Every structure is written in C-alpha cells, then in structure tokens.
Amino acid sequence: MPVAASIASRSVGPTCHTGKVNSATTRLVTPAEARVDLGAVRHNIGVLAGHAEGAEMMAIVKSDGYGHGAAAIAGACLEAGASRLGTALLSEALTLREAGVTAPILAWLITPGEPLDKAALREIELSAAAPWAIDEIAAAARRTGRPVRVHLKVDTGMSRGGASATDWPSLVKQALAVQAEGAIEIAGIWSHLACADTPEHPANKLQLVAFDEALAVADELGVSSGVIRHIANSAATVTFPQARYDMVRPGLATYGLSPVPERGDFGLRPAMTLVARLANVKRVPAGSGISYGHLYVTDRETTLGLVPLGYADGIMRSGTNRVEVLAAGKRRRVAGRVCMDQFVIDLGDDSADAGDEVILFGPGDRGEPKCQDWADSLGTITYEIVTRIGSRVPRVHSAGVDSVGR
Ligand SMILES: *Cc1c(COP(=O)(O)O)cnc(C)c1O
C-alpha cells in the first residue's frame, strides 16, 4: 500500500509519499479539484533550507497540510530535506503515522483528557506549557512504558500559548523531575513570534531577548544543552536570521505562498492550482439578473458559465462580484453571489463549453490569478484561503519537475 494511503482515497490520481504518480490509475472526472505540485513543494523546501543553514527544518503540515493533503506534503518535504514534521493537533499527527510517516512529529496543541497513550505508543512528540500537561504526558508514559519527548513552550510575548516568564522556572523544574524518573525526555524548548510577518516590528527582537532569558533559566536549572531550540515560522525563516536557533518551523512558505507579501515571493512557487469544470454554459439576454439577489445584471446579451464551487468548498461568499478566475483565456470576475456550491461568470461573446476548465488560482503561469490575488481582493491572508478548501474538492498530487535533484 502506498504510504499516503489516506490521501489516495481523496486524490483522483493517487501518489505515494515519494511523489510518484500511479499512472495505471484512471482519473475520475470531478467537478473541481485542487492540483498540488509536489515538485513545487520540494523546490520551496530547498529555498527555505538556503535560509536556514545549520538549522534543522520542521515542515508544518497542520490543517491537512494547509489544505494541500498532509501525507503527500509530508513525503515531499522529507524527501527534499526537512527532518521533522509539525502539526497542531494530536489527531493530525496520528493520521500521518497511520499513513506510514515515520519521521519525528511534534503536536503542540493538546487539551486535558486527550488520549495521550496513543501519542506515547506512536512516538508523537508533545508540547507542554503547564503542570497538567506534564502530569498527563508523564501518566501516559508510565501506563505505556514509553517515554515521551516533550518540547517545553515558553511565552515570549505573543500571549497565546506557552508558560509565562513567571511560571517558566517551575515548569522546567517539574519537567526535569519527571525526566529524572524516565517518563519524559525534554527534547526541545520553543516559542512563537507574534509579528514575524512585519519584519521591522520591534516585538520581534524583544521576543528573542525573552527567549534567550528562558533558555538561560533552563540551562541554569540543568536542562541539557542538546535540546532543540526553535521559534521561527516561515516569515522569520526568510527575514530574520537571528531567529533560526537549532530549527525552523516553516508552514506557509512550504506551500509556495509568501509569508511577507509586501517583500515579494522569495523565489517560492505556489504548489496549488484550484480548477473547476464548467457545469453549464448558456446565452442570456441583456438585463438578466444573476444568482441570489440579482447582484449582477447583464448589460448586453452575453454567455454565462457556471462554476461548480461555492462557499461550502471555501470560495468565500465575500468573493461575490469581486474575485477573478481564468476562463476561456481571460480573467473574469465572479458575476453575482457566490452560492453554497456554485457561482457564475460572464464570458461575454467568448466561446466555451460545459466541461471546459476554469482556473481559480494557481502559480500564475497561464495568466490565472494567484492565491495572493484572491487574498488581496478578499481582504484576508492566503492561509485562510487554502485551509478552507472543503472536503468535497479532491486533492490531486503530481510529482512535478524535480528541481531539487536526488
Ligand atoms: C502554524 C505555525 C507555524 C508555521 O507558521 P507559518 O507562518 O505558516 O510558517 C509554526 N509554528 C507554530 C506554532 C504554528 O502554529
């Protein structure tokens, strides 16, 4: 069974984790699909590695690999030089294990009462930022007889997760005591930056100062100097060399989306192309009101195309009369309301047929909008667009051109 068995069930052209396309499988026709170029992912990991020399790389594949299909993405990242994977939830990490991924995985967002025995048995590393977390992790380790590798999280100024500076020394002491007993191994010390996407923001340097102080406290209390220290997300990886420490944790940039759009694309290549096939094409007279509420009315006789994707698939309703797609060779704006499952485009007098492909966004090679263009016109960030593409849209992975070389 291919390693990425779980994505194969959702992908029309199944791929294994090495990115080789199973050409024996016939492609099903689906109304829409998100094509993911694993060659682009490997290229992006290469670009990031160039910014992170001397540091390990943990590719972040939370939220189903930012909507790109976590198992296939994990395989491509590991192949291209990432050594670890990161997820938010334990369930996401366990899903990767079930798909056959054997690399170290850190899951950092756990709540009291979760099935941590599974984490111990499947060798998932966990984050801890409070006494209850160390207690529950240690209990799972004792029950299973399997010590758990723990990354202690300190809040250095984001005021989200992590132990406060005040609570940090006692958390470290507690972890050291449990480590002495053999239930956990302190594998890492880590934090997260609040303003990395604004490289000039003064909070960035202040957070490193706070991180260094926390590291010094841990060192004084007797934590091994071998622990992995990590704080950098994508934006910090490409703009803030002092934040690299022992490991970087890029997510967004792995998928080829710019973590600091105002500074360009950093040589990254968008991995996802979202396509749909026209479900209906027809001529309508001038004065035709389109979709719910008639928010678009044709000003002449024209041809309409029906795109079978809607807000249930992550096409935000605020894209009504706003976002553009590439259809019949030109950019077209969504005409009228985005519905749950579909929206309409005005093709003018250009010819098109049902079944023709429309590109919603992609790397831009064929003149299609980029995900960044969608984010700009919707007043959001690319993260939100790719992670909201719904489960009805199959992710189709292709090996792509291997720019990394093997
Ligand atoms: C999501 C996340 C990352 C990756 O962030 P990007 O901005 O996508 O690179 C890294 N670390 C943590 C803790 C995260 O939640």
Side-chain angles (χ1 to χ4, degrees), residues 39-49 253-257 267-271:
V41 173
R42 292 193 299 272
H43 164 83
N44 298 329
I45 291 290
V47 169
L48 290 162
T254 303
Y255 307 94
L257 302 170
L268 301 164
R269 180 168 167 79

Side-chain angles (χ1 to χ4, degrees), residues 60 62 66 108 160 190 192 233-235 249-252 383:
I60 305 304
K62 62 190 176 188
Y66 289 46
W108 61 73
R160 194 176 67 170
W190 72 295
H192 195 54
N233 60 2
S234 294
R249 301 191 309 267
L252 191 75
Y383 297 78

Side-chain angles (χ1 to χ4, degrees), residues 186-229:
I186 303 174
I189 294 180
W190 72 295
S191 193
H192 195 54
L193 295 167
C195 305
D197 61 352
T198 312
E200 63 283 0
H201 200 293
N204 294 317
K205 288 206 172 88
L206 294 174
Q207 282 201 256
L208 292 201
V209 172
F211 193 44
D212 288 337
E213 280 165 10
L215 291 169
V217 167
D219 183 56
E220 277 159 32
L221 291 171
V223 172
S224 150
S225 57
V227 294
I228 309 168
R229 304 162 300 163

Side-chain angles (χ1 to χ4, degrees), residues 189-383:
I189 294 180
W190 72 295
S191 193
H192 195 54
L193 295 167
C195 305
D197 61 352
T198 312
E200 63 283 0
H201 200 293
N204 294 317
K205 288 206 172 88
L206 294 174
Q207 282 201 256
L208 292 201
V209 172
F211 193 44
D212 288 337
E213 280 165 10
L215 291 169
V217 167
D219 183 56
E220 277 159 32
L221 291 171
V223 172
S224 150
S225 57
V227 294
I228 309 168
R229 304 162 300 163
H230 51 108
I231 193 168
N233 60 2
S234 294
T237 302
V238 299
T239 66
F240 194 17
Q242 302 93 301
R244 280 175 208 160
Y245 292 86
D246 304 315
M247 182 168 80
V248 294
R249 301 191 309 267
L252 191 75
T254 303
Y255 307 94
L257 302 170
S258 177
V260 192
E262 311 76 52
R263 297 225 181 154
D265 65 11
F266 301 93
L268 301 164
R269 180 168 167 79
M272 183 188 288
T273 301
L274 182 60
V275 300
R277 296 182 181 86
L278 289 175
N280 193 22
V281 176
K282 67 183 169 208
R283 285 298 273 181
V284 297
S288 302
I290 296 180
S291 192
Y292 292 121
H294 283 177
L295 298 185
Y296 183 97
V297 178
T298 57
D299 57 4
R300 65 207 178 307
E301 184 184 314
T302 189
T303 297
L304 301 180
L306 181 63
V307 181
L309 281 172
Y311 57 77
D313 306 297
I315 310 305
M316 288 178 212
R317 191 162 174 272
S318 52
T320 295
N321 283 338
R322 187 177 298 260
V323 291
E324 290 183 344
V325 304
L326 182 72
K330 283 188 208 145
R331 296 271 193 109
R332 327 266 174 182
R333 188 157 286 150
V334 169
R337 271 267 188 260
V338 173
C339 312
M340 186 186 295
D341 320 295
Q342 47 196 311
F343 64 84
V344 175
I345 49 177
D346 184 346
L347 296 163
D349 291 328
D350 294 328
S351 65
D353 292 310
D356 284 359
E357 263 185 28
V358 174
I359 307 182
L360 286 82
F361 57 79
D365 298 347
R366 287 175 280 183
E368 75 275 18
K370 294 184 178 184
C371 186
Q372 187 65 52
D373 298 321
W374 273 50
D376 293 343
S377 64
L378 291 167
T380 182
I381 51 177
T382 54
Y383 297 78

